[in-house]
Amino acid sequence: MTLLHYLVLSGILFTIGAVTVLVRRNAILAFMGVELMLNSCNLALVAFSRVHGTLTGQVMAFYVMVVAAAEVVVGLAIIVSIYRARRTVSVDEPSLLRN
Amino acid sequence: MTGSVVGTGGELVLFWVIAPLMVVAALALLFARKPVHAAVGLIFVMIGMAFLYTALEAPFLGVAQVVVYTGAIMILFVFVLMLVGVDAADSVAETIAGQRWIAVLLGLGLVSVLTGVVVTANLPDAVGLEAANELTNPVGVAYEIFGSTVFALELVGVLLITAALGAITLTHKERLSAIRDQKATVRLRMRAYARGEGSQVLTPMPAPGVYALHNAADVPALDPYGNPIDISVPRVLRIRGQELDPSSVDGHVAQIAGGTFVQPARVASAESPVSQERAAAEGARAEGGDADLDAPAAEPAPAAPAAEPAPAAPAAEPAPTDHEGDDR
């Protein structure tokens, strides 16, 4: 059992999250992709914490979690207010500055 | 290969059971048609992460993962999904030509680069966390958080409060019209009535009929002339055609509704005891008293005189109590 397994899994999950952000047109789904990327980074942090034998990586992962919680609150509030104004959650619709 | 062996064979088994499932669940984000399915897949990934954290000697983070991510963040996601409509379908129209394929290509490139870097990197031998977790993992993490990074923790507190305020501010809605209280509602209703609009019944709607054998909402009550009152049946049932005829639920009511009802003066012996009881109850009610439910109705009650007009809308018959059937 090496820690490489965890790092490779982290890379795969990060990629899935990134591609989700790129291809999904639903704002909430793209946002979930961001969450998946943050989670995979946390996994890498915890795995490296075990490599180094210190708890610093775990503390970093903890802070990432807290900041992600704050980010989700604000982001979802923005999505809800956009939905109220435009009746859509698609990331393509609000192109007010075009033309 | 670098990164020496830490942990046990059990951890390897756990990893190989959970990791492929996590990847499949994460792919739901890319391929699920409905956003809710993607959310469920992501919840599965989060719980799998909690397992892996615990296996990686980080039980505190495993618990925090379940509490914070699956218990709060994902619930918030699902909540907002339900709020904006579950059927908010993804449009398949691409604003940038071929964006999807470019993104997939870039994703494959990214995963190959990351994997290559990790596999070929010269990692030091893993130390393991036995020494760092000497005082149990949460205590060690707490020393780290409240010791060397305490200022960052305070900043995070400020951030959380700001985020809560920001969410409140962003979702705040100005009231554009006055609150319509009960008084205003009544006034509007009376005005509509005067104009001949809306409901032309100012009083509450009459209740549906209550009969001895049927008291559901689908039979109309009877007016004093014995005719069914249609509006006593809920509108939806009427539109669906589920309104029953009063005569179909009670023969005695059918007589009243048909105008052929004769008050049973002297109860004939051919009458069934049930109708005797009914006549007894009605006689008692005609005299102003309420039929006593507890008294055994076996003794023949004073029959009402024949000149007595038929009772108005039949009220609730006294329900047959248990001891009524004993002497039969």
Side-chain angles (χ1 to χ4, degrees), chain B:
Chain B
M1 282 299 260
T2 52
S4 75
V5 177
V6 288
T8 58
E11 189 183 339
L12 192 65
V13 173
L14 179 80
F15 179 88
W16 281 112
V17 168
I18 286 184
L21 289 175
M22 277 169 74
V23 172
V24 170
L27 285 174
L29 272 180
L30 283 178
F31 297 113
R33 283 273 166 78
K34 294 177 178 163
V36 178
H37 294 174
V40 171
L42 195 54
I43 290 171
F44 186 91
V45 174
M46 305 277 185
I47 295 176
M49 284 274 181
F51 274 89
L52 293 186
Y53 289 162
T54 313
L56 279 166
E57 300 179 72
F60 170 75
L61 272 188
V63 174
Q65 174 80 7
V66 171
V67 171
V68 175
Y69 260 114
T70 59
I73 294 181
M74 285 320 292
I75 295 303
L76 202 59
F77 266 110
V78 174
F79 181 79
V80 171
L81 271 180
M82 300 293 167
L83 199 68
V84 304
V86 188
D87 53 356
D90 234 7
S91 68
V92 287
E94 289 184 328
T95 46
I96 305 169
Q99 188 202 356
R100 208 156 285 194
W101 296 114
I102 294 172
V104 169
L105 207 65
L106 289 178
L108 290 175
L110 179 63
V111 75
S112 53
V113 166
L114 286 175
T115 311
V117 165
V118 164
V119 171
T120 57
N122 196 4
L123 290 174
D125 282 349
V127 179
L129 289 173
E130 286 85 2
N133 281 346
E134 219 174 6
L135 300 165
T136 72
N137 174 261
V139 174
V141 172
Y143 271 119
E144 190 82 23
I145 289 175
F146 296 104
S148 51
T149 66
V150 66
F151 185 62
L153 186 77
E154 290 173 3
L155 284 183
V156 160
V158 173
L159 174 77
L160 283 175
I161 292 174
T162 314
L165 281 176
I168 293 169
T169 311
L170 283 167
T171 53
H172 174 72
K173 217 172 167 182
E174 289 291 337
R175 176 172 294 286
L176 297 176
S177 55
I179 302 176
R180 190 196 285 186
D181 55 356
Q182 196 174 357
K183 205 189 241 179
T185 310
V186 169
R187 200 176 296 128
L188 285 172
R189 220 170 134 183
M190 294 298 288
R191 215 168 280 158
Y193 175 77
R195 283 200 304 264
E197 297 167 4
S199 168
Q200 289 300 301
V201 182
L202 284 180
T203 52
M205 293 289 185
V210 179
Y211 303 110
L213 302 181
H214 195 98
N215 63 351
D218 55 354
V219 281
L222 299 180
D223 67 0
Y225 303 104
N227 303 318
I229 307 172
D230 274 339
I231 58 170
S232 62
V233 176
R235 193 175 52 93
V236 176
L237 293 181
R238 264 182 285 147
I239 290 171
R240 285 187 190 158
Q242 291 175 321
E243 186 178 0
L244 289 185
D245 193 40
S247 60
S248 65
V249 297
D250 205 318
H252 163 233
V253 175
Q255 288 181 334
I256 294 177
T260 58
F261 178 69
V262 181
Q263 188 79 18
R266 297 277 175 271
V267 179
S269 56
E271 293 252 345
S272 65
V274 177
S275 58
Q276 272 188 35
E277 284 167 20
R278 187 177 298 146
E282 276 170 8
R285 210 173 296 114
E287 287 163 13
D290 220 64
D292 193 2
L293 292 184
D294 295 329
E299 83 256 52
E308 187 88 24
E317 304 280 354
T321 48
D322 288 345
H323 56 256
E324 275 184 319
D326 293 351
D327 50 356
R328 273 183 232 135

Side-chain angles (χ1 to χ4, degrees), chain A:
Chain A
M1 178 75 208
T2 68
L3 295 175
L4 289 180
H5 296 79
Y6 293 106
L7 297 179
V8 172
L9 173 67
S10 165
I12 292 172
L13 290 179
F14 186 92
T15 307
I16 292 175
V19 176
T20 302
V21 172
L22 286 178
V23 303
R24 293 311 287 253
R25 307 258 63 89
N26 186 326
I28 299 178
L29 275 170
F31 210 39
M32 284 190 203
V34 175
E35 290 307 306
L36 189 58
M37 287 197 278
L38 288 168
N39 259 293
S40 64
C41 293
N42 273 352
L43 185 61
L45 282 171
V46 175
F48 278 124
S49 157
R50 203 174 175 197
V51 170
H52 293 299
T54 62
L55 290 174
T56 315
Q58 292 187 16
V59 173
M60 282 298 132
F62 169 78
Y63 280 125
V64 170
M65 257 187 217
V66 178
V67 175
E71 170 238 1
V72 161
V73 167
V74 175
L76 286 177
I78 291 173
I79 288 176
V80 167
S81 56
I82 289 178
Y83 175 78
R84 271 198 193 147
R86 322 221 124 251
R87 289 284 142 204
T88 177
V89 289
S90 171
V91 291
D92 289 335
E93 292 283 339
S95 52
L96 291 176
L97 297 180
R98 191 178 294 176
N99 309 330

